[in-house]
Amino acid sequence: QLQAYGGGLVQAGGSLRLSCAASGFTFSSYNMGWFRQGPGKEREFVGAISWSASNAFYRDSVKGRFTISRDNANKKVYLQMNSLKPEDTAVYYCGRTTYYSGSDYARDPRRYDYWGQGTLVTVSS
């Protein structure tokens, strides 16, 4: 089970930290990803982190603003979002995958077999 939380309403330029708590599986064995889905849009890749936290990869539009980290001891993955923009408004989901976080597969939501319920992030202008 994955449970994402930490979303909310923030002004443009602000920051939020999303968390995703895992249970029921060996968290440290999986690469983890964050995706988002805006109104009327498909779910899109935000970033992914390797099981060991040694590598993290991001979509171009969030590079330098978002940072993914994880705590295997406490079975959590985080998404720190800074300099938020109105176009970042979406429901954010965490998911697990066996595919390497730097691969094209890890950018495809179909390659994830478990998802959290999503947390809404709204960025006002």
Side-chain angles (χ1 to χ4, degrees), residues 8-124:
L9 174 64
V10 63
Q11 288 187 331
S15 298
L16 277 177
R17 187 195 197 202
L18 305 185
S19 301
C20 175
S23 63
F25 65 95
T26 305
F27 180 71
S28 58
S29 295
Y30 289 87
N31 302 311
M32 298 296 295
W34 284 97
F35 284 70
R36 65 187 181 188
Q37 189 164 14
K41 298 182 179 180
E42 294 186 350
R43 191 169 298 192
E44 65 179 18
F45 173 79
V46 174
I49 188 168
S50 62
W51 63 271
S52 64
S54 59
N55 292 291
F57 302 87
Y58 305 89
R59 68 179 298 109
D60 287 347
S61 62
V62 308
K63 284 180 182 177
R65 301 189 297 124
F66 290 12
T67 303
I68 297 177
S69 59
R70 65 188 295 163
D71 179 351
N72 285 344
N74 290 302
K75 300 184 178 182
K76 290 184 178 178
V77 61
Y78 305 98
L79 180 65
Q80 177 67 43
M81 306 184 294
N82 300 327
S83 302
L84 282 160
K85 304 176 180 180
E87 51 263 43
D88 295 319
T89 294
V91 177
Y92 283 72
Y93 299 89
C94 59
R96 76 172 196 185
T97 183
T98 57
Y99 292 93
Y100 172 57
S101 51
S103 69
D104 288 342
Y105 292 121
R107 295 172 181 260
D108 184 346
R110 296 171 298 178
R111 305 300 181 179
Y112 289 73
D113 61 353
Y114 252 63
W115 293 97
Q117 83 286 3
T119 184
L120 176 63
V121 173
T122 304
V123 184
S124 63

